[in-house]
Amino acid sequence: MSGPSSSARRQLEKRVPADSGLGAPTDIDQLQQRISMLEQELAAVRGELDERAEELHAARAANRELTRALNRPVHPK
C-alpha cells in the first residue's frame, strides 16, 4: 500500500503547520494596530453617512414643500 499522492502530501504540508499552530506566528501588535485604524476609519465613514442622511432628509422636506406649493390651486382675484 503506497502513501498519499504527491498533491495530497503537498496539501497536508500546507495545512498541518497552520492547523497545529506550528506555522509562523501572526504579529498580534500589527493586527491590533490595523484593527484600531479600521475602527477609526469606520467611525469617520459613519459620521459622513450621518451627515449625508441629514442632508437627504432636509432635501426631501424641501422637495415636499415645493411640491405642495406647486400643487396649490391658484385663485384669480
Side-chain angles (χ1 to χ4, degrees):
M1 181 168 165
S2 68
S5 70
S6 61
S7 67
R9 182 178 299 139
R10 279 193 301 271
Q11 289 176 358
L12 283 173
E13 288 171 353
K14 289 178 185 175
R15 288 189 60 204
V16 169
D19 291 348
S20 67
L22 297 175
T26 304
D27 188 358
I28 301 300
D29 247 2
Q30 186 179 18
L31 291 174
Q32 288 174 338
Q33 289 174 2
R34 177 80 172 134
I35 289 169
S36 179
M37 184 184 69
L38 290 172
E39 286 172 341
Q40 290 172 2
E41 286 181 30
L42 178 59
V45 169
R46 282 185 174 157
E48 290 175 21
L49 178 60
D50 289 342
E51 288 177 27
R52 290 183 182 168
E54 289 174 14
E55 291 172 0
L56 178 59
H57 179 71
R60 285 179 173 164
N63 189 32
R64 281 191 297 276
E65 185 57 37
L66 290 170
T67 301
R68 279 188 211 113
L70 287 172
N71 289 328
R72 285 187 196 122
V74 177
H75 297 288
K77 294 184 180 187

